[in-house]
Amino acid sequence: MTLLAVERIKLFTTRSPWWCALITLVLTIGFAALVVGNSNDQEIPATVASTQFGYAFGMAVIMVLAALAVTTEYRFGTIRTTFQAVPHRTSALLAKTTVVALLALVIGEVSAFGSWGVGKLLKPNADLALNSSADWINVAGVGVVYALAAVIAVAIGVLIRHSAGAIALLLIYSLAVESLVRLIPSIGDDIYKWMPFNVANKFLTGSGASNGSRAADAGSPMSTAVLGQGWSLAYFAGFAAILLIAAIWSANRRDA
């Protein structure tokens, strides 16, 4: 049995992934229904971007799922059994990260296209067709961002090893810290342009083409990142990779 199969079995035999997946779908699709359902053609028209308004809330849940996937093993001591069975810890952690990231990718795509589908159902006459690359990235790119966010969460889980601490750090940082950075006098806005989740948002929203004619007013808030969409994805992926490398290095140097 391969390491990927082992990690898949361990992940899906617990309840937390199922609950987190359900909560993610309810949050993202529910927000899409609220936003699109209350839109109107005169003042707040429904757009492709507005159907993805709740993706950040779903991403927060995905990071909880990913963090729990590793911290629960430290909590109950099963990580010791894993490392005894697979002395090459790097392989075990990479397998776990891959399985969690793939699950996050699937959940992200289902939630994104589900949100878009609800928008089409509620506003059949609105311009919600995926006619451009910007539209497709705004929807299909959610799964990619979720997968990379899951990698970040696994890395933080390995580094901290405690569920409460890892989850608190992830949620506080992604939902509050980056925005609060903008309050720093003189340099706050410049620092914020390079914060990882702000850059990830730039990958999804680009220049705002999927917002239709309302540009920055429709959908989730526009990113202030200075990178283009492709480079924004590369930057976010690089950030996730650096954290994962640091986590694996730490796991190899200390006791389980």
Side-chain angles (χ1 to χ4, degrees):
M1 186 177 296
T2 65
L3 284 174
L4 291 175
V6 171
E7 293 299 333
R8 175 182 57 81
I9 293 171
K10 287 198 293 185
L11 182 64
F12 286 105
T13 50
T14 58
R15 295 179 181 178
S16 59
W18 300 101
W19 279 109
C20 288
L22 178 61
I23 293 171
T24 300
L25 295 177
V26 170
L27 281 175
T28 54
I29 297 175
F31 267 97
L34 287 172
V35 173
V36 176
N38 288 286
S39 64
N40 60 75
D41 295 335
Q42 290 73 33
E43 298 179 3
I44 310 176
T47 66
V48 172
S50 65
T51 66
Q52 305 304 311
F53 192 84
Y55 96 92
F57 300 103
M59 182 172 64
V61 181
I62 288 296
M63 289 194 292
V64 171
L65 183 160
L68 287 175
V70 63
T71 56
T72 50
E73 286 214 57
Y74 279 105
R75 177 185 176 187
F76 294 106
T78 56
I79 194 72
R80 297 188 183 92
T81 304
T82 298
F83 288 158
Q84 287 174 354
V86 186
H88 193 246
R89 296 183 178 186
T90 299
S91 298
L93 292 174
L94 286 177
K96 180 181 291 294
T97 304
T98 300
V99 170
V100 174
L102 288 175
L103 176 60
L105 174 66
V106 172
I107 296 173
E109 297 300 338
V110 172
S111 67
F113 281 97
S115 298
W116 174 76
V118 166
K120 291 280 288 183
L121 182 65
L122 293 176
K123 297 288 183 177
N125 297 322
D127 184 17
L128 296 179
L130 303 179
N131 293 321
S132 66
S133 59
D135 294 332
W136 277 101
I137 291 175
N138 204 170
V139 179
V142 170
V144 178
V145 172
Y146 278 17
L148 293 174
V151 173
I152 292 172
V154 168
I156 295 298
V158 173
L159 288 169
I160 295 181
R161 300 195 291 183
H162 297 285
S163 297
I167 292 172
L169 175 60
L170 288 165
L171 295 184
I172 291 173
Y173 179 83
S174 62
L175 297 178
V177 171
E178 287 203 358
S179 297
L180 292 175
V181 165
R182 307 182 73 175
L183 300 178
I184 300 174
S186 302
I187 62 172
D189 288 335
D190 293 330
I191 296 174
Y192 181 68
K193 292 176 182 179
W194 297 97
M195 301 301 278
F197 288 98
N198 179 41
V199 175
N201 190 38
K202 180 61 175 287
F203 163 66
L204 292 177
T205 59
S207 61
S210 59
N211 286 337
S213 61
R214 298 183 64 247
D217 296 325
S220 57
M222 293 289 295
S223 170
T224 61
V226 296
L227 298 174
Q229 284 184 282
W231 284 110
S232 293
L233 178 61
Y235 181 92
F236 192 56
F239 178 78
I242 290 171
L243 275 181
L244 182 60
I245 291 170
I248 292 174
W249 178 81
S250 176
N252 281 317
R253 287 182 60 87
R254 66 189 181 190
D255 294 336

